[in-house]
């Protein structure tokens, strides 16, 4: 019996992007657990193929990492040792190191550890994977899983996915919100875990207003900490329903799954939308590359100046006055992108990347 532990100590979006790779590991093991951070545990529990989720807040990762706590590390080592894993695979983004987690796994007695590393790993890794150039984060994770012995089932297309069934929309939405949702709606998620990746509240409000003026019912979503933001974006606009902080993550997945389209920055709900098959208009700040982090395997339009001065900076706060990479996207262009994704032939729109002027008036396959 082969027991495998996967490690992904990042936020919900990163965990969702690792989903296909986890299924590849699960398909070749008798059991698969996932070690996640508190920021990614909710998404981890939604992933098919994952038997159990362990949670640890690592001092070497995260937006606001905790101080090193020797007792917490020792407790983690003991918990992992008790489970007697045969293999472990550490998934990281391209700018992260797997070696701190690999050291913990070695201390726990895991005999086989794989990870992607540009640094010399000493005896910490049995498989020192090298990430090929030009891969999306989903592809990079699948490449590591393959190097560690994983393989997707023959009938698995490698798309993002969540456990089914999802909650019924009547249960996912508060009663007052559900009563205002008719035959179709667009979701606008104005926040992001990293401020540089979100439109300004004023810009988001203008986008929501333009969609409502175009005859769309708009649901504004957000986490519990984004209720004030959503209120600023939605307040007083006819045809706009604010449900921020009023859904669970599975409930949000259900809301996204039923949406005609989802307008969102480069943040976790963009990947949750892709995991439920929703078309995505991605307001993408190029602080990280769109070719690595854009919505995966769903009809999508990626808007934003990908050549802006902040490109590739990984900045958390916008370093350029006026946030031009996103403020250059007009509300009318977002409306046009939503229209392009919601016409009858929308499945033909696989991936559109470019500046606002590149958005097609009708669906077609474009990579700009």
């Amino acid at each position: 019996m082969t027991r495998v532990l996967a490690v992904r100590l990042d936020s919900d979006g990163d965990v969702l992007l690792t989903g296909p790779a986890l299924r590849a590991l699960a398909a070749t093991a008798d059991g698969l657990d996932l070690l996640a951070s508190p920021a990614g545990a909710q998404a981890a529990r939604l992933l098919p193929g994952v038997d159990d989720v362990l949670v640890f807040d690592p001092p070497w990762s995260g937006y606001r990492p905790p101080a090193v706590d020797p007792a917490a590390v020792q407790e983690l080592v003991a918990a992992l040792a008790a489970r007697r894993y045969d293999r472990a695979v550490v998934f990281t983004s391209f700018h992260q190191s797997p070696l701190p987690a690999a050291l913990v796994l070695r201390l726990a007695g895991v005999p086989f550890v794989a990870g992607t590393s540009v640094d010399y790993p000493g005896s910490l890794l049995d498989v020192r994977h090298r990430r090929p150039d030009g891969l999306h984060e989903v592809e990079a994770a699948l490449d590591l899983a393959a190097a560690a012995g994983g393989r997707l089932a023959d009938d698995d297309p490698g798309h993002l996915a969540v456990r089914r069934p999802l909650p019924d929309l009547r249960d996912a939405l508060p009663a007052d919100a559900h009563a205002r949702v008719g035959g179709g709606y667009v979701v606008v998620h104005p926040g992001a875990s990293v401020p540089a990746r979100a439109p300004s509240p004023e810009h988001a409000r203008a986008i929501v207003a333009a969609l409502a003026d175009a005859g769309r019912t708009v649901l504004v979503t957000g986490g519990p900490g984004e209720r004030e933001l959503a209120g600023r974006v939605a307040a007083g606009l006819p045809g706009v329903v604010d449900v921020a902080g009023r859904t669970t993550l599975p409930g949000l997945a259900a809301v996204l799954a039923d949406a005609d389209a989802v307008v969102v920055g480069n943040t976790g709900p963009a990947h949750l939308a892709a995991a439920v098959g929703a078309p995505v208009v991605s307001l993408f700040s190029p602080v990280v590359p769109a070719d690595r982090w854009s919505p995966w395997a769903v009809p999508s339009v990626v808007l934003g100046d990908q050549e802006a001065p902040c490109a590739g900076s990984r900045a958390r706060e916008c370093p350029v006055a006026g946030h031009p990479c996103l403020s250059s996207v007009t509300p009318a262009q977002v409306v046009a992108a939503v229209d392009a994704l919601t016409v009858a032939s929308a499945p033909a729109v696989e991936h559109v990347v470019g500046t606002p002027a590149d958005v097609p008036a009708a669906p077609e396959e474009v990579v700009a």
Side-chain angles (χ1 to χ4, degrees):
M1 180 174 181
T2 302
R3 301 192 66 193
V4 178
L5 176 70
V7 179
R8 185 74 208 229
L9 294 168
D10 290 296
S11 60
D12 286 336
D14 305 293
V15 171
L16 290 165
L17 289 171
T18 313
L22 300 182
R23 298 198 305 272
L25 293 174
T28 56
D30 298 302
L32 174 74
D33 295 344
L34 176 60
L35 177 62
S37 73
Q42 287 189 93
R45 296 186 180 99
L46 292 179
L47 293 179
V50 174
D51 296 316
D52 195 11
V53 175
L54 293 76
V55 180
F56 175 70
D57 198 2
W60 59 84
S61 182
Y63 187 44
R64 293 183 177 87
V68 175
D69 183 346
V73 174
Q74 291 165 5
E75 289 174 7
L76 176 62
V77 168
L80 297 179
R83 291 180 176 237
R84 298 183 180 275
Y85 291 108
D86 301 291
R87 289 187 289 154
V89 183
V90 183
F91 292 96
T92 52
S93 298
F94 69 96
H95 59 281
Q96 297 172 326
S97 171
L99 300 185
L103 176 59
V104 171
L105 294 165
R106 287 299 197 210
L107 292 173
V110 180
F112 176 96
V113 181
T116 301
S117 182
V118 297
D119 299 317
Y120 174 61
S123 60
L124 298 181
L125 297 178
D126 297 283
V127 172
R128 181 190 181 189
H129 175 254
R130 303 296 183 94
R131 175 181 177 141
D133 293 335
L135 295 187
H136 191 280
E137 289 296 303
V138 172
E139 296 172 307
L142 280 167
D143 201 63
L144 171 57
R151 183 175 65 85
L152 285 170
D154 292 340
D155 60 350
D156 189 333
H159 296 171
L160 305 190
V162 295
R163 295 180 187 272
R164 303 287 182 142
L166 294 171
D168 184 87
L169 196 62
R170 187 177 298 275
D171 299 322
L173 286 172
D176 62 308
H178 186 268
R180 297 176 62 188
V181 175
Y185 57 86
V186 172
V187 168
V188 175
H189 189 95
S193 57
V194 175
R197 301 181 191 177
S200 70
E202 296 75 21
H203 189 195
R205 181 175 174 84
I207 289 169
V208 169
L211 287 165
D213 288 345
R216 301 279 185 181
T217 298
V218 181
L219 265 62
V220 177
T221 59
E226 296 171 325
R227 297 190 71 164
E228 180 181 354
L229 167 63
R232 293 175 62 186
V233 169
L237 295 177
V240 178
V241 184
D242 177 4
V243 297
R246 303 175 71 193
T247 64
T248 63
L249 193 65
L252 178 59
V255 170
L256 299 176
D258 272 12
D260 295 332
V262 178
V263 181
V264 60
N266 176 27
T267 190
H271 306 304
L272 186 60
V276 296
V280 180
V281 177
S282 176
L283 304 176
F284 200 100
S285 169
V287 292
V288 294
D291 59 358
R292 291 176 175 173
W293 296 96
S294 56
W296 178 252
V298 292
S300 61
V301 176
V302 177
L303 298 179
D305 181 3
Q306 301 305 299
E307 304 301 323
C310 65
S313 67
R314 300 206 302 269
R316 294 177 174 178
E317 302 286 343
C318 181
V320 184
H323 206 12
C325 65
L326 294 186
S327 62
S328 60
V329 179
T330 70
Q333 289 158 342
V334 176
V335 172
V338 169
D339 290 344
L341 289 172
T342 55
V343 298
S345 58
V349 183
E350 278 302 316
H351 194 58
V352 182
V353 180
T355 60
D358 297 318
V359 177
E364 57 183 86
E365 293 186 10
V366 176
V367 177

